[in-house]
Each structure stands twice: as C-alpha cells, then as structure tokens.
Amino acid sequence: MHLRGLHHFAALTALLLVTSHANAQSLPPPTKTVFRCEEGGKIVYSDAPCLGARKIDVEPTRGVSKLSGKERIGSTVQHELRREQIAEAVRPLSGMNPQQFDTFGRRQSLSSAAQRECLRLDEQVMAAERDEHGAKGPVLADIQARLFGLRKRFRELGC
C-alpha cells in the first residue's frame, strides 16, 4: 500500500471509530450551547432554545485536580480527548478542526436530507444571530421569532 492509500485508510478508520461510538451511545451527545431565557420574569438556563434566547457557549470542565496536584479525568473525557487527537491527525486530509470533525461524525447517523438541512440551518442560524445583534423594536421581535424556529428545528433534527 503506497503512502496516499495509507492516509486514506487511516482517515477512514478514524471516521469509522468516531461514528461507531456516536451510534453506540444511547443518550444524545451533550451540547456545549446553553440558552439564557427569561420565563415569567425569571432567568432560566437551558440547552433547549426559547423565544428571545441569548446563546451562551460553554466549555465543560475536563476533570478535577486534587490538592495533591494529581489530575483525575473520567472515561468520557478521555474518549473526547482521543477523538480530538484523531481529528487533529486527519486534519490534513479532512480540512476540519476537531469541532467540525465531531459535528461531521455526529451527523453521519442522520439521513442525507437531514444532513443537508443541518448545513442549511447552520448558515441560517448564524445569519439570524448576526441580524439579531443590530435589531431593535418590532424588527428584533420578528428576528427572534425566526431564530427560535430555526434553533428548534436544528434541535429536532439532532444537528
């Protein structure tokens, strides 16, 4: 097997490893997006979108350090770190950073129509979020309603 064939084999192996693990999980993958919502005058944080939500990107902790300075990380975090290492290893072939590679792997279980819709929604949500930042008054309410619908569909599809 020549070098180019070896690279393709390594990329395929890594992709199969990532997608097989994603398919084997019984729970949906955790989200790193949290929405800040106001409900009945109270602030609520949720992974589900709401009307007028403010998107907050969070990065969960990756283990704890004891007073002894010894770091302890769980198997889930170890697996996540391995996936990131695989993504970096195949980056020259895939052109994707670890986050993009994770999204790609997670979406492999979706139908091709759902994958296409997720890509379309990626662009539409980003555009609506940009529009929301500069809007005021009734225009803001319209944009927030549209953004809520887009985020809701994004979540329904499992994008």
Side-chain angles (χ1 to χ4, degrees):
M1 185 180 299
H2 55 74
L3 188 57
R4 185 172 176 91
L6 185 61
H7 285 296
H8 289 296
F9 177 76
L12 180 59
T13 303
L15 181 61
L16 289 174
L17 176 67
V18 170
T19 56
S20 67
H21 176 73
N23 291 336
Q25 291 180 339
S26 59
L27 296 174
T31 179
K32 293 181 182 178
T33 302
V34 175
F35 296 99
R36 181 183 185 270
C37 304
E38 190 172 329
E39 295 178 0
K42 294 183 179 181
I43 303 298
V44 178
Y45 295 91
S46 173
D47 64 341
C50 63
L51 186 61
R54 234 202 235 132
K55 182 175 139 184
I56 301 170
D57 289 322
V58 295
E59 186 67 38
T61 60
R62 290 183 160 192
V64 293
S65 297
K66 295 169 69 175
L67 292 175
S68 67
K70 192 175 190 181
E71 187 176 27
R72 303 179 100 199
I73 56 175
S75 61
T76 304
V77 173
Q78 289 173 354
H79 183 74
E80 185 177 321
L81 292 171
R82 265 188 254 117
R83 280 195 327 257
E84 288 174 2
Q85 290 170 341
I86 291 169
E88 284 297 338
V90 298
R91 189 177 197 158
L93 296 173
S94 69
M96 294 183 269
N97 65 33
Q99 183 182 11
Q100 292 166 328
F101 193 78
D102 187 51
T103 299
F104 174 78
R106 192 176 60 250
R107 290 180 179 176
Q108 288 303 299
S109 62
L110 301 176
S111 69
S112 58
Q115 289 179 33
R116 284 191 302 274
E117 189 172 353
C118 286
L119 287 173
R120 186 179 54 78
L121 286 168
D122 286 339
E123 294 173 11
Q124 290 178 338
V125 167
M126 283 188 350
E129 287 173 348
R130 278 192 309 268
D131 293 345
E132 181 184 34
H133 289 296
K136 293 182 179 165
V139 173
L140 176 61
D142 289 343
I143 292 171
Q144 287 177 334
R146 186 181 57 164
L147 186 55
F148 174 65
L150 293 169
R151 286 174 173 164
K152 187 176 174 187
R153 181 64 181 152
F154 189 92
R155 184 176 165 88
E156 288 169 356
L157 286 172
C159 297

